[in-house]
């Protein structure tokens, strides 16, 4: 049974770059995945009607987080993902690779598991794919 998540304008390009595309509409689980990615990338309080929404992992650029900081960030992002309607489970890991922060989330929706990866390096990218699908 497919869940109707509605549709939304895409806020990410096909290559994962952050760029709203007024001609690209996403549907199904992709609506939820993009909404979670936006929560992770926007500052808390950026939406006047939802002041507690948002984490802004981009503030971590040029930071030197400790392993504890990365663990806590993962927990914070899990909680943020679980606030998005349609997400029934989340597991998020934050890690540094070559000085670049990577957020890797496994999001559980009613119809399956999806990977959501956010890279906060010089070329910020957000990638979505069903769990088990090759990169």
């Amino acid at each position: 049974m497919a869940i109707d998540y509605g549709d939304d304008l895409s806020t990410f390009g096909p290559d994962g770059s952050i760029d709203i595309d007024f001609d690209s509409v996403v549907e199904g689980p992709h609506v939820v995945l993009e909404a979670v990615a936006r929560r992770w990338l926007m500052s808390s309080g950026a939406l006047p009607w939802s002041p507690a929404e948002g984490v802004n992992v981009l503030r971590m650029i040029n930071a030197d987080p400790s392993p504890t900081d990365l663990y806590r960030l993962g927990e914070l992002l899990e909680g943020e993902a679980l606030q998005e309607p349609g997400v029934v489970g989340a597991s998020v890991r934050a890690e540094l690779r070559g000085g670049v922060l990577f957020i890797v989330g496994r999001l559980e929706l009613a119809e399956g598991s999806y990977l959501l990866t956010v890279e906060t390096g010089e070329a910020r990218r957000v990638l979505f794919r069903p769990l088990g699908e090759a990169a």
Side-chain angles (χ1 to χ4, degrees):
M1 178 175 142
I3 306 296
D4 182 8
Y5 296 109
D7 57 28
D8 198 2
L9 290 176
S10 179
T11 47
F12 302 97
D15 63 350
S17 61
I18 301 169
D19 185 22
I20 191 163
D21 182 351
F22 293 100
D23 295 321
S24 178
V25 175
V26 293
E27 299 175 322
H30 210 91
V31 171
V32 177
L33 298 173
E34 284 208 13
V36 171
R38 284 192 301 268
R39 283 175 172 270
W40 291 355
L41 293 167
M42 75 177 173
S43 296
S44 182
L47 301 175
W49 58 88
S50 188
E53 187 175 320
V55 175
N56 192 8
V57 297
L58 299 179
R59 67 182 162 71
M60 300 289 288
I61 293 175
N62 294 325
D64 187 20
S66 69
T68 301
D69 294 334
L70 292 171
Y71 178 81
R72 287 182 180 152
L73 178 60
E75 284 187 326
L76 179 64
L77 296 172
E78 280 179 20
E80 193 70 22
L82 289 168
Q83 296 301 313
E84 186 61 39
V87 176
V88 296
S91 174
V92 181
R93 183 179 74 249
E95 57 189 49
L96 282 178
R97 298 183 206 158
V100 175
L101 177 66
F102 284 86
I103 309 298
V104 181
R106 177 185 171 140
L107 303 179
E108 304 289 333
L109 306 177
E111 53 275 297
S113 299
Y114 294 84
L115 288 179
L116 172 56
T117 304
V118 176
E119 174 190 336
T120 64
E122 211 173 288
R124 296 169 194 91
R125 298 184 317 145
V126 177
L127 304 175
F128 315 92
R129 67 177 195 264
L131 199 58
E133 184 179 294

